[in-house]
Amino acid sequence: MVESRSVVLVVEDDGEMRSLLCDGLRNEGHSFREAQDGDEAFLSVLRAVPDLILTEIRLAAGGVDYINRLRAVVPNCPIVVMTAFGDEKVQVDVLRAGATAYFSKPVHLAELRSCVKQLLDAGRQAAAKKVVVEEGVR
């Protein structure tokens, strides 16, 4: 059985940082879609739901409301938030809005890789359980 590649949407207004994030996670076997602001990310999610969203919080059309909007349209998609401008209040607000995980920049790539892997593995396991249950219902 061939396992499909997970699709990660990387949302970052700094093009170099976006490339670094994609390159840092590429060896994990993911495919990537990229967006440079909250509006572009939201439209991308409406076109096709990714397996995980990795996003900066402080960008055009970003912030806590942006996380709320994403969560409303993708209730089961993990959302990993990063920021260099956060504090404890920002972290609490973002997690309450629906983010799955929060990282302060500079992000340690090994920790980010581990988090992404755990979230995607959990999503695959949940999907596999759903298939088994649905097959049993027939």
Side-chain angles (χ1 to χ4, degrees):
M1 181 173 119
V2 176
E3 188 172 312
S4 64
R5 294 171 56 150
S6 298
V7 177
V8 177
L9 174 60
V10 178
V11 188
E12 169 64 62
D13 55 356
D14 179 323
E16 287 183 32
M17 177 59 82
R18 204 169 49 245
S19 290
L20 269 169
L21 290 166
C22 291
D23 290 346
L25 295 170
R26 195 167 316 278
N27 290 341
E28 304 300 313
H30 312 304
S31 62
F32 298 92
R33 295 196 332 244
E34 299 179 33
Q36 62 186 355
D37 63 37
D39 287 337
E40 190 177 333
F42 192 74
L43 291 173
S44 177
V45 167
L46 289 176
R47 282 191 294 273
V49 176
D51 296 300
L52 183 136
I53 300 168
L54 175 61
T55 185
E56 166 66 65
I57 188 70
R58 191 166 178 185
L59 43 78
V64 174
D65 184 56
Y66 157 67
I67 300 302
N68 281 319
R69 287 177 35 208
L70 285 174
R71 184 51 70 212
V73 296
V74 289
N76 300 315
C77 180
I79 301 173
V80 178
V81 171
M82 313 167 293
T83 188
F85 301 100
D87 56 22
E88 207 170 294
K89 181 185 180 330
V90 171
Q91 180 178 4
V92 168
D93 290 346
V94 166
L95 291 171
R96 279 189 183 143
T100 312
Y102 176 94
F103 287 89
S104 293
K105 288 181 179 178
V107 175
H108 296 282
L109 198 52
E111 290 176 20
L112 182 62
R113 270 194 214 116
S114 176
C115 177
V116 167
K117 181 178 179 356
Q118 285 179 325
L119 292 170
L120 290 172
D121 287 350
R124 280 189 208 102
Q125 289 173 359
K129 285 180 185 176
K130 183 178 178 186
V131 169
V132 169
V133 169
E134 287 178 358
E135 287 177 356
V137 172
R138 293 180 190 168

